[in-house]
Amino acid sequence: MKLLYSPASPYAAKVRMAARHLGIELDAVKVETSAAPPELLDSNPLGKIPTLLRKDGPPIYDSVAIMHYLDRLSGGKLYPRKDPKRANADVLESLCDGMMDSLLAIMNERRSRPEELVHQPWIDKQWGKVSRGLDFLDAHLPKTGRKLNGGHFALAALLSYLDLRFAEKNWREGRPELAAWPAAFQQRFPDFDVLKTSA
């Protein structure tokens, strides 16, 4: 299988980490979405990454659909089978993905407009969502117990993206529990440094 991705995409990082954890081999191919490569557009009309190309079926996108496919492919090893653990994993992934949506919205606002037209109230609104999410995660830190799940990989991708694009925000300040989480996660998933969101 081939995964069209960008190293700076936290959604792609989530998928790549999950696949490595499950022992599912992906041929990761870097694409530049701004160049509108035909292989991406022919496979995903939205032109977004990650997009998973399969020999035995149509392409799969977005990251949540890919994660659920990897879970099925692994025989259910990526998500807990029973509530409430399954619901907790799903909600954690949804929260982290929503925070990544807000971070990407900030990046798009900064990049797509001249500096004098950047709408700071919009940026502040998006960062407010991220900040509340970080506070919630610090107060309700997910356990990295016997099994990792899709929510853990979403959180790892989120935090590495914050380090990559929002280092000036110092998300660790005042959030000691969350600040310590990446080190605990890396003990369970040593390939974190290799597959995390990067430039």
Side-chain angles (χ1 to χ4, degrees), residues 79-100:
Y79 295 95
R81 293 177 185 262
K82 296 181 180 179
D83 278 335
K85 290 183 178 180
R86 175 60 189 257
N88 290 341
D90 288 344
V91 169
L92 175 60
E93 185 174 5
S94 180
L95 172 61
C96 294
D97 282 359
M99 293 164 70
M100 288 188 277

Side-chain angles (χ1 to χ4, degrees), residues 126-195:
Q126 298 306 316
W127 182 255
K129 296 178 184 181
V130 175
S131 184
R132 289 192 301 272
L134 291 171
D135 290 343
F136 178 87
L137 289 166
D138 187 65
H140 304 88
L141 196 66
K143 295 178 181 178
T144 50
R146 193 164 56 90
K147 292 184 178 181
L148 296 177
N149 62 55
H152 295 124
F153 295 109
L155 178 55
L158 165 68
L159 297 181
S160 62
Y161 188 74
L162 280 164
D163 285 338
L164 177 67
R165 298 292 192 217
F166 295 86
E168 78 282 359
K169 293 289 191 180
N170 193 13
W171 63 265
R172 292 173 176 81
E173 186 174 357
R175 301 181 181 105
E177 300 298 324
L178 187 59
W181 188 85
F185 173 75
Q186 183 150 8
Q187 288 185 335
R188 296 294 319 282
F189 184 71
D191 289 331
F192 179 41
D193 272 345
V194 178
L195 297 175

Side-chain angles (χ1 to χ4, degrees), residues 21-154:
H21 173 68
L22 296 170
I24 297 173
E25 188 172 341
L26 298 179
D27 178 17
V29 177
K30 287 191 271 188
V31 297
E32 191 66 49
T33 55
S34 60
E39 184 175 36
L40 177 61
L41 296 184
D42 290 346
S43 304
N44 180 348
L46 301 175
K48 297 172 72 173
I49 50 173
T51 293
L52 183 67
L53 309 183
R54 303 178 294 161
K55 292 181 179 178
D56 60 346
I60 299 177
Y61 50 87
D62 64 1
S63 66
V64 173
I66 296 172
M67 293 286 277
H68 289 180
Y69 175 71
L70 295 178
D71 182 55
R72 293 191 299 275
L73 206 59
S74 71
K77 294 180 181 177
L78 187 55
Y79 295 95
R81 293 177 185 262
K82 296 181 180 179
D83 278 335
K85 290 183 178 180
R86 175 60 189 257
N88 290 341
D90 288 344
V91 169
L92 175 60
E93 185 174 5
S94 180
L95 172 61
C96 294
D97 282 359
M99 293 164 70
M100 288 188 277
D101 290 345
S102 290
L103 293 172
L104 272 256
I106 293 172
M107 292 301 297
N108 289 336
E109 178 70 15
R110 290 175 175 171
R111 288 175 170 172
S112 64
R113 297 177 185 270
E115 187 174 349
E116 65 274 13
L117 295 180
V118 169
H119 191 56
Q120 190 61 42
W122 168 254
I123 289 177
D124 294 343
K125 179 180 180 179
Q126 298 306 316
W127 182 255
K129 296 178 184 181
V130 175
S131 184
R132 289 192 301 272
L134 291 171
D135 290 343
F136 178 87
L137 289 166
D138 187 65
H140 304 88
L141 196 66
K143 295 178 181 178
T144 50
R146 193 164 56 90
K147 292 184 178 181
L148 296 177
N149 62 55
H152 295 124
F153 295 109

